[in-house]
Amino acid sequence: MKNKRDFRQDMDQALSGLTLGEKKEEILEKAFAPQKKRKGRMARRVAVACLAVCALTAAVFAFSPGLRQILNQHLGSWQEESQQFSGLETEDNGIVVRAVSALSDDGFTQIYLEIQDKTGDRLGENTSLGSYGSDWNLELPSQEMATMGQKCLGYDPESRTALVKVSWSGETTGEEQVAKLTLQKISAREEFTASLPQTEIASRIQKTILAENTQKAGEKSPVLQPGEEAAPLEEGKGFSLSALGFGDDGAFHVQVKCPEDICLEYLNVLTTLRSRTGQEAQYNQSLTQILFEWEGELYYDIAFGGVGPEILDDLMLEDLYFLYLKIRPVEGNWELEIPLETPDQLVYTPETQVEGCPVNRIVLTPMTLSLEIGSDHAGFGQSTVTFVMEDGSKLVLDKGDCVTSFWNGLEKQNGTGHFFGRWLFPKAIQPEKVQSIALGDTVIFSK
């Protein structure tokens, strides 16, 4: 990241075209005035000043003004709490990865990246770090259990730049941290969902299994006769339903014909075959997928084992989900170290219980609520959380606000595991003004 002097020069250059008079100087003076660092919190004045300037200039540091607007929309009421970066970037194989903003507390992080192709047109609206969840990592120190995710928020075809949000959520540390992003592949994936009417299953009869097909690896495997039940798929993007039904191999087959203009090694077709009356998704426990060639055409076959016509009326097939690439991923080596600010937090050990499980720790920051519970399941993430504030007002979070929920059974104590959950507030709160917290119908904290 640029030093303070370079940062001031960037700010001056960004503001040079604006007629702001004393307002410009006021922003800059506040941003760079000497100040005492508070324990547990990095200085925020530069970040707040940057946001004020960004609001005036529409795009101070972001390469694309359109993507800056998308970023501001996603930050929403969190803009004042966010960090802004300048000069924090790395380049390889003609692609630049730059950090432009971050929103974080002691265990929850969202980092916004601009990814720009400077030499070609290898990105798109679904630009992705790595290939299908692999070939990238976001690492924070002193963290063990964690969840990661990513989402492409927008794409500017003129500058060939994508805005990607990466998220990380783990257990709390209360320490300022540096996030390390490592990346080996960047891809422009395609995805869509195709519906299959449930009546399609009920109308099928047992098909003949053929052994003479050629898989990608040159092996043989039984599949349904391609084309027996050929049908277009809505929004199919070149894919079509080739066959659907039972085979004498004791499996239920879902088979699609593939278009030619895709990278077959990165093709994934997913669905779930459920029992209407029994265990949910029980037929996915014995599932095989193959890519094979038949009479010069390529097909993708999903076979659910142990499913015969005798249980036809009990079957329910979900929509088909397609995930694939049209061009191969761009390979390279991109690494960024991103300093993260940590706001003050309040930590409570309430010595209360919920559903007979001890509430070991409650952590409140302006962004999130974190709970650590001695539990033998992870179901608390589905619970509603109700806060009563100092002024008597209430704030209610539901399961949609729960950004992390996991159970660590490897650290069992007294016969139970360890549940960790984190809920994200819709806007910043003042933790010290929380008077009580209820998980479901049980009050787990009260002043």
Side-chain angles (χ1 to χ4, degrees):
M1 183 183 294
K2 295 186 178 182
N3 59 34
K4 182 176 177 180
R5 182 176 179 181
D6 293 335
F7 198 64
R8 172 67 192 250
Q9 291 174 350
D10 282 348
M11 294 279 283
D12 281 326
Q13 183 177 4
L15 289 168
S16 61
L18 296 178
T19 308
L20 299 178
E22 296 179 358
K23 187 65 175 178
K24 180 183 78 172
E25 292 304 318
E26 180 183 345
I27 292 173
L28 294 175
E29 289 303 321
K30 286 184 178 180
F32 297 98
Q35 58 182 311
K36 183 178 179 181
K37 183 178 179 181
R38 294 181 57 189
K39 183 179 179 181
R41 178 183 299 203
M42 295 178 65
R44 288 187 174 272
R45 289 188 179 180
V46 172
V48 174
C50 285
L51 284 167
V53 174
C54 287
L56 293 170
T57 64
V60 173
F61 300 123
F63 186 88
S64 165
L67 295 183
R68 169 59 66 176
Q69 183 178 5
I70 293 174
L71 172 61
N72 288 339
Q73 290 172 349
H74 278 267
L75 287 174
S77 61
W78 291 104
Q79 289 195 33
E80 187 172 335
E81 297 292 322
S82 68
Q83 298 173 247
Q84 305 293 307
F85 303 112
S86 175
L88 190 56
E89 63 180 47
T90 180
E91 180 177 351
D92 194 14
N93 203 0
I95 291 185
V96 175
V97 178
R98 62 173 66 91
V100 294
S101 184
L103 186 64
S104 66
D105 63 11
D106 66 333
F108 177 76
T109 297
Q110 291 180 337
I111 298 174
Y112 296 86
L113 306 169
E114 282 187 334
I115 303 178
Q116 181 196 1
D117 191 344
K118 299 178 69 175
T119 61
D121 193 11
R122 296 166 289 178
L123 307 178
E125 295 180 355
N126 291 303
T127 296
S128 174
L129 305 187
S131 58
Y132 301 163
S134 61
D135 306 307
W136 76 282
N137 187 46
L138 185 63
E139 180 181 359
L140 279 79
S142 304
Q143 305 277 342
E144 296 180 2
M145 298 291 289
T147 56
M148 292 194 309
Q150 62 168 301
K151 183 178 182 180
C152 184
L153 303 178
Y155 180 69
D156 177 22
E158 183 175 350
S159 62
R160 301 192 298 272
T161 305
L163 177 66
V164 176
K165 178 184 72 175
V166 294
S167 58
W168 194 102
S169 184
E171 299 192 57
T172 56
T173 65
E175 302 173 354
E176 296 172 0
Q177 303 185 75
V178 175
K180 184 177 181 180
L181 175 70
T182 57
L183 178 61
Q184 290 81 43
K185 290 182 181 179
I186 298 174
S187 59
R189 65 185 186 186
E190 302 284 339
E191 58 184 338
F192 71 96
T193 300
S195 298
L196 291 175
Q198 297 305 311
T199 55
E200 292 290 314
I201 297 179
S203 65
R204 303 304 169 191
I205 60 174
Q206 186 170 351
K207 302 294 191 301
T208 301
I209 294 298
L210 300 175
E212 297 300 322
N213 64 80
T214 304
Q215 292 186 47
K216 186 182 175 185
E219 300 175 352
K220 304 292 184 180
S221 181
V223 296
L224 298 186
Q225 169 71 58
E228 283 195 11
E229 302 293 342
L233 293 172
E234 185 177 355
E235 303 279 338
K237 298 187 177 182
F239 292 89
S240 60
L241 180 64
S242 172
L244 181 69
F246 301 99
D248 55 15
D249 60 345
F252 180 83
H253 291 258
V254 180
Q255 187 175 284
V256 296
K257 182 180 177 181
C258 305
E260 297 180 355
D261 58 341
I262 62 172
C263 295
L264 293 172
E265 61 266 45
Y266 294 98
L267 171 63
N268 280 278
V269 185
L270 307 174
T271 187
T272 296
L273 187 64
R274 299 188 184 278
S275 166
R276 296 180 185 273
T277 58
Q279 179 184 355
E280 185 174 292
Q282 68 180 52
Y283 302 117
N284 283 52
Q285 296 174 7
S286 178
L287 182 149
T288 59
Q289 297 166 287
I290 63 169
L291 181 69
F292 70 94
E293 182 178 353
W294 178 263
E295 296 183 352
E297 302 285 354
L298 288 169
Y299 297 85
Y300 194 99
D301 183 270
I302 307 172
F304 300 88
V307 182
E310 66 278 3
I311 55 174
L312 174 63
D313 294 336
D314 187 46
L315 299 180
M316 180 174 65
L317 183 67
E318 291 191 346
D319 294 346
L320 292 175
Y321 172 71
F322 292 80
L323 185 63
Y324 61 100
L325 306 179
K326 285 193 172 182
I327 60 175
R328 297 188 61 82
V330 182
E331 298 186 6
N333 183 27
W334 298 269
E335 293 187 1
L336 283 177
E337 290 192 351
I338 306 167
L340 300 174
E341 297 178 355
T342 302
D344 293 335
Q345 64 179 16
L346 293 178
V347 181
Y348 300 103
T349 53
E351 297 183 354
T352 56
Q353 290 192 348
V354 56
E355 297 183 14
C357 302
V359 180
N360 299 328
R361 195 165 184 254
I362 297 175
V363 181
L364 280 171
T365 77
M367 288 179 59
T368 63
L369 160 75
S370 299
L371 295 180
E372 298 175 12
I373 301 174
S375 171
D376 59 358
H377 64 87
F380 291 116
Q382 302 294 311
S383 302
T384 298
V385 186
T386 304
F387 301 82
V388 177
M389 309 303 289
E390 192 176 75
D391 60 0
S393 62
K394 291 185 178 182
L395 172 63
V396 180
L397 303 180
D398 60 24
K399 62 182 181 180
D401 301 305
C402 186
V403 292
T404 308
S405 175
F406 58 75
W407 175 69
N408 183 5
L410 300 179
E411 298 180 359
K412 289 189 175 182
Q413 296 179 356
N414 300 322
T416 65
H418 173 80
F419 166 80
F420 177 81
R422 188 189 302 278
W423 286 258
L424 179 66
F425 297 120
K427 61 181 180 180
I429 70 161
Q430 294 177 274
E432 66 275 9
K433 293 190 175 183
V434 174
Q435 295 297 299
S436 68
I437 305 172
L439 186 63
D441 297 326
T442 304
V443 176
I444 60 174
F445 166 77
S446 180
K447 286 186 177 179

